[in-house]
Amino acid sequence: MVFPKMTRRAENRPLNVPLIAPFIIASSRLEMVENVAIRIELSNGSVGWGEAPILSFVIAEDQKTAMAKASEACAFLRRCPLLTLGSMLEEIAAILPGHEFATHVTDLYRKETLVCITVSCENGTH
């Protein structure tokens, strides 16, 4: 199935949120999350949000790197030509190497699943 150009807007921004109480794991102490939020708006007005969590003491990526890669993925989605879902995911996988994707599709008006893209890292983080 080939999808028409569906993305009206795709953007990312820092998501810096102080925690109510510090999170302590092993010898690391986390007092604030410094994640990346991603917002995608489709041509039919549907809006979806995603988040890339950053735990620099657990994973290799930091917020600056995640912001740059999310910006690349958003730029691709904004200019994305007619592609099959598989081809679109292959293109995004090239931008985000080392990640796996699961998909399904959702029709929000009929409340049926049509498209959902989940990214999970090989090391078990999301």
Side-chain angles (χ1 to χ4, degrees):
M1 172 185 230
V2 175
F3 291 92
K5 177 159 176 39
M6 296 180 2
T7 305
R8 181 183 301 162
R9 296 183 68 183
E11 58 196 11
N12 62 292
R13 60 184 76 156
L15 180 62
N16 300 326
V17 181
L19 300 176
I20 294 172
F23 174 72
I24 300 169
I25 182 170
S27 63
S28 299
R29 179 182 178 100
L30 185 65
E31 297 191 25
M32 166 185 258
V33 294
E34 295 178 332
N35 297 339
V36 176
I38 300 165
R39 180 184 183 276
I40 297 174
E41 181 179 339
L42 301 181
S43 55
N44 70 1
S46 298
V47 173
W49 283 90
E51 180 178 356
I54 307 300
L55 292 170
S56 56
F57 55 85
V58 177
I59 61 173
E61 289 90 1
D62 59 11
Q63 188 183 46
K64 181 180 177 181
T65 303
M67 285 289 293
K69 296 311 272 181
S71 291
E72 280 184 61
C74 287
F76 167 74
L77 289 172
R78 286 191 302 269
R79 70 176 187 280
C80 185
L82 296 176
L83 292 173
T84 64
L85 183 57
S87 296
M88 184 185 314
L89 291 175
E90 285 176 13
E91 294 286 335
I92 296 211
I95 296 168
L96 306 170
H99 296 77
E100 296 176 3
F101 300 90
T103 65
H104 59 277
V105 179
T106 303
D107 180 333
L108 298 177
Y109 298 106
R110 290 189 228 148
K111 300 187 191 246
E112 297 174 329
T113 299
L114 299 176
V115 173
C116 173
I117 300 172
T118 302
V119 179
S120 63
C121 302
E122 289 179 345
N123 65 3
T125 61
H126 298 258

